[in-house]
Amino acid sequence: MADPERSTELLWGTGARRGLSLERIVRAAVELADAEGLAAVSMRRLAERLGFTTMALYRHVPGKTELLDLMRDAVHDEHEPSGAKGAAEWRAELETWARREREAYRRHPWLVETVDVRHVPGPRAVAAFERGLEIVARTGLPPAEVVASVELLAGLAGSAARQSAVAVRAERSTGVSDQEWWNRRDSLFAHFDRYPTLSRLYEQGAYDTPLDPFEFGLQRVLDGIEARVRDESRDESKCEVCGRPVERPAAGRPRSYCSPACRQRAYRARRSG
Amino acid sequence: MADPERSTELLWGTGARRGLSLERIVRAAVELADAEGLAAVSMRRLAERLGFTTMALYRHVPGKTELLDLMRDAVHDEHEPSGAKGAAEWRAELETWARREREAYRRHPWLVETVDVRHVPGPRAVAAFERGLEIVARTGLPPAEVVASVELLAGLAGSAARQSAVAVRAERSTGVSDQEWWNRRDSLFAHFDRYPTLSRLYEQGAYDTPLDPFEFGLQRVLDGIEARVRDESRDESKCEVCGRPVERPAAGRPRSYCSPACRQRAYRARRSG
DNA sequence: TACCAGAAGTGTACGTTGTAGACATACGAA
DNA sequence: TTCGTATGTCTACAACGTACACTTCTGGTA
C-alpha cells in the first residue's frame, strides 16, 4: 500500500483505462464505425483514437479480419429467451424477432458491409439465431425448413438494411441528402420514358410515399411461412424430417416419413430431444 | 488506299485491338473479377492485363467507382420482353424472372460485393427491373406494392447469392473446400450444446440436406405475394393507388380511392398510360 | 532484494492500393 | 504544315495492413 494513487486507480475502474485490452479495442472500433462508417476503421486511425501506436493493437488482435468478427458479434444484443409460449403465437413472436434483427442494422449500418467475408459466428450471434429457430420450430415445420425460414428472415433484414444504408453512407460521404442527390439525376431520369411500366407506376405515385421495404417484405414472408405451415398440417404428403414428398400407400395408414433413414432420424431425435 | 496493311487491320476486327476503349476496359475488368474475385481488380492489375500503364485507364474511366458501376450494368443480360401475357400467368413468369436475377449472381459472384455503394443504375439493369414491374403490375396490386414486390425479390436473389458466395470466395482464397473448412471448426461446434433448439434440429438432420435458400425463399415470397393479391381482389378496402385503407361509405358504391388526390392521379395515369 | 521471462507497447519498413499532375506522342481538321 | 485535342506514360503521394526487431514494464521466484 505504498502508493495510494496506484491503488485508487486500480480500485476505481480507471484501472482498465491505461493499458489496452481486447474489449477496449473492439468497443472503440464499433464507436468509430458507428460514427464515420466502416471505411474509417483503419488500424492506424483506431490506434490513434485509443492513444496508442498502430502496432500495439496487434498485441491483442491477430489482424483486421478477426477484429471485424469481434465487432460484428459485439453488436448483437441479447434477444430475451422465449417464455416457451404456445405454438399459436409463433407469428407475432417471429415478427418481433425479425424487427430486432433489423434494428441491429439500423443502429450499426456498417454491418451490411461486413457480410462478404466468411465469419466465425460468435456467441451472441448464435444466441439470436437460436432464439429464431426456437420460435419457428414450434410451427412443426420440418427441420430443414425451420432453418431455412430463419435464415430467410435474417437475409431479409440484411437486404432491407442494405437498401437504406446506401442512403445513409452516401449522405455522409457527399454531404448531400439522398432526396437531393436523386433530384440532381435529371440526366438519368431523362432516359426513363423508354420504360413504360416504370413510368406509369411513377406517375401513379408509386414513389411518392414508398413502402418500408422491410415491413412489406416481412409481411409477405410471414404470409408465405404461414401458408406453408397450414399446408403442412393439413396433408401428410411431405416427409416430417426432410420435407420431400411422401408417396401415399395404396391402402392403410399414410406414411409420415419418406424413407427408413428419415424415420430413424426422427426416432433418435424424439429420444434425445 | 496507300497502306493496305492499315486497311486490313481496320477492316478485320483487330481494329479495336490496339488502343484502349471503355468497352474493352469494362470487359477485361469483368473477366478478371469472374476469374479471381473483385479484390483482384485493381487498376494496376487491370492495366497490366490489357497491356497498358495504370494511368491509361483514367483516360477512359473517371475512377474506380465508376468502373464498378459499368461492370455491374454490363453483366445484366437482357430479359426477353413479356409477350403481354394474361394476368393469370404472373406467378410463373415472376418465378423465372427471379431465377434469372439469381443466375446473374451465380455467373458473377463478385456482384454481391459491389452492393454497398450508391449506384447509378444503368440501362440494362433498369430494363430488368422494368420487366419485373411489368409482370407484377398485371396482378392489380397498388403501384407502391408492385415496386416493393419486385425489390423484395431482387433483394432475395442478392441475399441468397451472398450466402453461397461466401463459400466460393473463401474456397478460392484459402484453397480449402467449404465443407472441409467447417469440419475443422470443432472448437467452434463444441460450444453449441448450449443452444438446445439448434442442437436438436441438427440431430434431426436439418443440415444433412439443406434446402436451397433461394428456392425456399422464392416460394415463400411468391406465396406471400399471391396471398396479398387474393386479399386485394376480394375486398375494395384499400386505395388502388397508394394502398392505404379506404373507409367504406355508409351507403352507395364503395370508394376505390382514399382521397381526391389519389383519384386524380389514377385518372392522369389512365389517360397517359 | 535480485533476477528474469514474458507481456505490452514502439518504431521502422515493405509492398499494396487509388489517383493527381506534368509530360510525350499521335491524329484529324484548318 | 500547323495546331488543338485525345490518348498513353511516368513519377510521386498518401493511406492501407502488417512483418520484424526493439524497448519497457510487470509479477513471480530464488
Side-chain angles (χ1 to χ4, degrees):
Chain A
M1 279 299 186
D3 187 349
E5 275 306 313
R6 179 95 183 84
S7 296
T8 329
E9 191 185 338
L10 283 172
L11 286 167
W12 291 90
T14 41
R17 179 104 65 75
R18 191 168 309 281
L20 229 31
S21 77
L22 213 168
E23 197 207 332
R24 279 231 302 152
I25 293 177
V26 173
R27 192 169 43 231
V30 168
E31 281 168 13
L32 187 52
D34 285 346
E36 306 186 40
L38 195 63
V41 181
S42 76
M43 298 304 266
R44 279 182 239 269
R45 285 212 49 189
L46 182 55
E48 189 182 11
R49 192 185 168 93
L50 285 159
F52 290 84
T53 50
T54 310
M55 293 315 288
L57 303 179
Y58 284 89
R59 292 288 164 193
H60 304 263
V61 174
K64 199 182 182 185
T65 51
E66 289 83 355
L67 176 58
L68 286 176
D69 279 341
L70 292 167
M71 289 171 66
R72 192 181 8 263
D73 198 60
V75 300
H76 265 96
D77 32 34
E78 314 279 353
H79 288 235
E80 78 281 8
S82 150
K85 308 249 182 64
E89 290 101 337
W90 71 264
R91 176 157 178 156
E93 281 187 70
L94 192 53
E95 195 170 331
T96 75
W97 180 87
R99 290 227 179 80
R100 242 198 145 92
E101 284 290 294
R102 171 69 238 256
E103 214 39 54
Y105 285 105
R106 217 183 296 276
R107 270 195 299 273
H108 309 288
W110 48 268
L111 271 176
V112 303
E113 299 175 66
T114 70
V115 192
D116 49 34
V117 272
R118 174 142 57 185
H119 315 129
V120 177
R124 280 187 275 265
V126 178
F129 189 58
E130 158 84 12
R131 170 86 176 105
L133 291 176
E134 194 269 321
I135 298 170
V136 181
R138 299 204 308 260
T139 63
L141 284 176
E145 297 198 13
V146 172
V147 172
S149 298
V150 175
E151 282 178 350
L152 176 59
L153 281 172
L156 173 67
S159 230
R162 212 171 323 276
Q163 280 177 251
S164 30
V166 170
V168 173
R169 185 167 36 246
E171 186 158 344
R172 172 162 47 217
S173 75
T174 62
V176 174
S177 91
D178 199 51
Q179 179 103 40
E180 177 68 16
W181 193 86
W182 285 110
N183 282 345
R184 290 197 201 157
R185 293 288 89 69
D186 300 339
S187 60
L188 174 61
F189 293 128
H191 299 285
F192 278 16
D193 8 336
R194 282 164 43 194
Y195 307 101
T197 314
L198 177 56
S199 306
R200 185 160 47 83
L201 290 169
Y202 179 80
E203 281 162 22
Q204 289 175 346
Y207 285 91
D208 293 352
T209 52
L211 302 172
D212 180 328
F214 175 71
E215 287 298 329
F216 179 81
L218 179 56
Q219 295 308 325
R220 281 334 111 233
V221 169
L222 288 175
D223 284 350
I225 296 179
E226 194 169 334
R228 185 72 176 164
V229 171
R230 264 202 306 275
D231 233 54
E232 205 71 24
S233 62
R234 189 166 303 144
D235 65 52
E236 305 286 328
S237 63
K238 299 272 168 48
C239 170
E240 285 186 12
V241 170
C242 68
R244 269 191 285 262
V246 172
E247 48 195 322
R248 186 175 295 270
R253 179 176 160 211
R255 297 200 189 95
S256 299
Y257 308 102
C258 70
S259 67
C262 274
R263 194 185 56 210
Q264 185 61 18
R265 260 200 290 273
Y267 168 68
R268 278 201 303 274
R270 267 195 305 275
R271 258 185 42 154
S272 71
Chain B
M1 279 297 190
D3 186 351
E5 275 306 314
R6 179 96 182 84
S7 295
T8 327
E9 191 187 338
L10 282 172
L11 285 166
W12 290 91
T14 42
R17 179 102 65 74
R18 192 167 308 281
L20 228 32
S21 78
L22 214 170
E23 197 207 333
R24 279 231 302 153
I25 293 176
V26 173
R27 192 170 42 230
V30 168
E31 280 167 15
L32 187 53
D34 285 347
E36 306 187 39
L38 195 64
V41 181
S42 77
M43 298 303 267
R44 277 182 240 272
R45 285 212 50 189
L46 183 55
E48 189 181 10
R49 192 184 169 92
L50 284 160
F52 289 84
T53 50
T54 310
M55 293 314 288
L57 303 179
Y58 284 89
R59 292 290 165 192
H60 304 263
V61 174
K64 197 182 183 182
T65 51
E66 289 83 356
L67 176 59
L68 285 176
D69 279 341
L70 292 168
M71 289 172 65
R72 191 177 14 258
D73 198 60
V75 300
H76 265 97
D77 31 35
E78 313 280 352
H79 288 235
E80 78 280 9
S82 150
K85 307 250 181 64
E89 291 100 339
W90 70 265
R91 176 156 179 158
E93 279 187 72
L94 192 54
E95 196 170 329
T96 74
W97 180 88
R99 290 227 179 81
R100 242 198 145 91
E101 283 290 293
R102 172 69 238 256
E103 215 38 55
Y105 285 105
R106 218 184 295 277
R107 269 195 299 273
H108 309 288
W110 48 267
L111 270 175
V112 304
E113 300 176 64
T114 69
V115 191
D116 48 35
V117 273
R118 174 142 56 185
H119 315 130
V120 177
R124 280 186 275 265
V126 178
F129 190 57
E130 158 83 11
R131 169 85 176 107
L133 291 176
E134 194 269 322
I135 297 169
V136 181
R138 299 204 307 261
T139 63
L141 285 176
E145 297 199 13
V146 172
V147 173
S149 297
V150 174
E151 282 178 350
L152 175 58
L153 281 172
L156 172 68
S159 231
R162 212 171 323 277
Q163 281 178 248
S164 29
V166 169
V168 174
R169 185 166 39 246
E171 186 158 342
R172 173 163 46 217
S173 76
T174 62
V176 174
S177 90
D178 199 50
Q179 179 102 40
E180 177 69 16
W181 193 85
W182 284 110
N183 282 345
R184 290 196 201 158
R185 294 287 89 69
D186 301 339
S187 59
L188 174 62
F189 294 128
H191 299 285
F192 278 16
D193 9 337
R194 282 164 45 194
Y195 308 101
T197 313
L198 177 56
S199 307
R200 186 160 47 82
L201 290 169
Y202 179 81
E203 283 163 21
Q204 289 176 346
Y207 285 91
D208 294 351
T209 52
L211 302 172
D212 179 329
F214 175 71
E215 287 299 329
F216 180 80
L218 179 57
Q219 295 309 325
R220 283 332 112 234
V221 169
L222 288 174
D223 283 350
I225 296 178
E226 193 168 335
R228 185 73 175 165
V229 170
R230 264 201 306 274
D231 235 53
E232 203 72 23
S233 62
R234 188 165 304 143
D235 64 54
E236 305 287 327
S237 64
K238 300 271 170 46
C239 170
E240 284 185 15
V241 170
C242 67
R244 269 190 286 260
V246 172
E247 50 194 322
R248 187 175 294 271
R253 178 175 161 213
R255 296 200 191 96
S256 298
Y257 308 102
C258 70
S259 67
C262 274
R263 193 184 55 210
Q264 184 63 18
R265 261 200 288 272
Y267 168 68
R268 278 201 303 273
R270 267 196 305 276
R271 256 187 40 156
S272 70

